[in-house]
Amino acid sequence: EADHVSRAPHRGRSGLSAERRSTAEMLGLMRQLRAKCLIGVVGGSNIGKQQAQLGAGCLDDFDYFFSENGLCAWKDGQSLAVTSIRDYLGEKNIKELVNFCLRYIADLDIPVKRGTFFEFRNGMINVCPIGRNCSQEERDAFEEYDNKYKVRAKFVAILKQKFGEKMGLQFSIGGQISFDVFPKGWDKTFCLRYLSEIPTIHFFGDKTMEGGNDYEIYSDPRTIGHAVNEPADTMRLLRELFFKVAPPAVAAVSLARTVPSQQCGAGASPNVGTLLFISLVVLALALVLQHPGF
């Protein structure tokens, strides 16, 4: 979920971990796209982690910027709104949820456990069975283990049964090691309320399967969703859609909801009606807002 100019290779399927930085190539492409359309970023992480990935000045580099699925929102570098899960749930419900998760994690038999099993954010609670203090090597190892034994999926299934209806919560698996807990409707589609005047929105994400943290916004009728596996896929599609460039072939990806390329032209002038939305994992995941005729 950016470069400094040289990024160490990452073995995870999704391309970039939360500690990696965006590549210079991707950020350069974003600057070129901003001359053609509006661009934005949405991610589940807080603003501190996003600035670590994209640079301290990232709020000024994008037209729209959303942390914590849009619970913290900026436009043109200025704050739009902040929404708090603490006010929504109340301390009694939060303590009940956290206490249950702590007991579950204590009894969980996984190869490695480290520290920081919870991260309390404005719009969500992030739960990490292995602990967020793990090393990158331990992240990669847990991701492989989780893919095989479905540690997070089983954890989430139990939480859905116990707290889903009772507290009005939903759960979303994302990244390599954790999952998010948040009120229903507070997934990445939350940010779309700030984009109601933009006719066309393109979203690029990698966790687009049901249960993934990009699924809701990817499948939302207000967006044109593009499923990608890594930053190279995202850049290839952006060039094809907005610059009509045919880049070198990369691994095939599912593009069931891809917009026809003729809507976007290499010679088109800047258009404030098109938003390219990038979810932080694959630039990581992208948003394009488009007026008719772009």
Side-chain angles (χ1 to χ4, degrees):
E1 282 187 8
D3 209 330
H4 33 176
V5 180
S6 60
R7 175 174 63 86
H10 173 251
R11 295 187 296 274
R13 280 183 61 258
S14 60
L16 298 174
S17 75
E19 280 69 33
R20 304 301 185 184
R21 297 189 174 187
S22 297
T23 65
E25 182 182 7
M26 174 64 87
L27 293 178
L29 182 58
M30 290 298 99
R31 285 191 289 271
Q32 294 176 49
L33 277 168
R34 199 174 184 187
K36 301 173 71 66
C37 59
L38 299 175
I39 63 173
V41 168
V42 61
S45 297
N46 60 34
I47 184 60
K49 286 187 172 63
Q50 290 177 318
Q51 287 175 323
Q53 295 164 330
L54 300 176
C58 60
L59 292 177
D60 296 317
D61 293 335
F62 296 85
D63 300 288
Y64 289 89
F65 203 99
F66 300 108
S67 298
E68 304 181 38
N69 290 352
L71 278 296
C72 299
W74 291 264
K75 180 182 179 182
D76 298 326
Q78 302 299 313
S79 177
L80 283 175
V82 176
T83 308
S84 171
I85 191 174
R86 182 186 292 110
D87 296 336
Y88 179 87
L89 285 181
E91 289 298 337
K92 180 180 178 181
N93 285 334
I94 290 173
K95 286 192 294 184
E96 182 181 352
L97 173 66
V98 169
N99 288 341
F100 180 89
C101 290
L102 285 172
R103 287 190 291 268
Y104 185 95
I105 292 172
D107 294 334
L108 192 60
D109 185 14
I110 56 177
V112 171
K113 289 182 184 177
R114 295 296 179 252
T116 311
F117 300 102
F118 293 89
E119 189 171 81
F120 194 89
R121 303 171 182 172
N122 281 304
M124 67 184 70
I125 299 172
N126 180 264
V127 183
C128 182
I130 185 177
R132 301 193 69 87
N133 289 351
C134 61
S135 67
Q136 183 60 49
E137 290 73 19
E138 290 165 340
R139 276 176 168 266
D140 295 340
F142 177 80
E143 182 181 32
E144 293 182 12
Y145 184 89
D146 185 55
N147 287 338
K148 182 176 181 179
Y149 295 103
K150 310 301 179 185
V151 175
R152 291 182 291 174
K154 292 175 182 177
F155 197 167
V156 162
I158 292 172
L159 291 176
K160 280 183 178 179
Q161 183 177 19
K162 186 170 182 63
F163 297 104
E165 292 301 322
K166 178 181 179 181
M167 295 186 184
L169 296 175
Q170 66 186 88
F171 307 84
S172 180
I173 297 172
Q176 293 180 278
I177 59 173
S178 65
F179 61 87
D180 297 325
V181 182
F182 46 88
K184 290 182 178 179
W186 287 23
D187 50 62
K188 286 179 180 172
T189 61
F190 190 93
C191 71
L192 297 179
R193 66 187 59 197
Y194 301 111
L195 309 173
S196 59
E197 295 183 359
I198 305 211
T200 305
I201 301 172
H202 294 257
F203 176 81
F204 296 74
D206 69 335
K207 299 294 185 183
T208 57
M209 71 297 292
E210 189 168 3
N213 63 356
D214 298 318
Y215 173 74
E216 289 84 4
I217 190 169
Y218 168 79
S219 57
D220 192 282
R222 292 169 291 180
T223 70
I224 297 171
H226 307 268
V228 296
N229 290 326
E230 58 184 2
D233 295 336
T234 308
M235 290 188 286
R236 175 179 62 83
L237 288 172
L238 293 177
R239 288 172 176 139
E240 288 178 355
L241 292 170
F242 292 93
F243 298 96
K244 292 188 176 178
V245 172
V250 296
V253 296
S254 173
L255 296 173
R257 304 181 63 246
T258 297
V259 64
S261 61
Q262 61 266 27
Q263 292 186 8
C264 312
S269 59
N271 193 315
V272 296
T274 298
L275 175 63
L276 169 69
F277 211 11
I278 298 189
S279 174
L280 207 49
V281 125
V282 201
L283 358 108
L285 316 180
L287 172 89
V288 184
L289 311 175
Q290 181 177 337
H291 274 317
F294 174 76

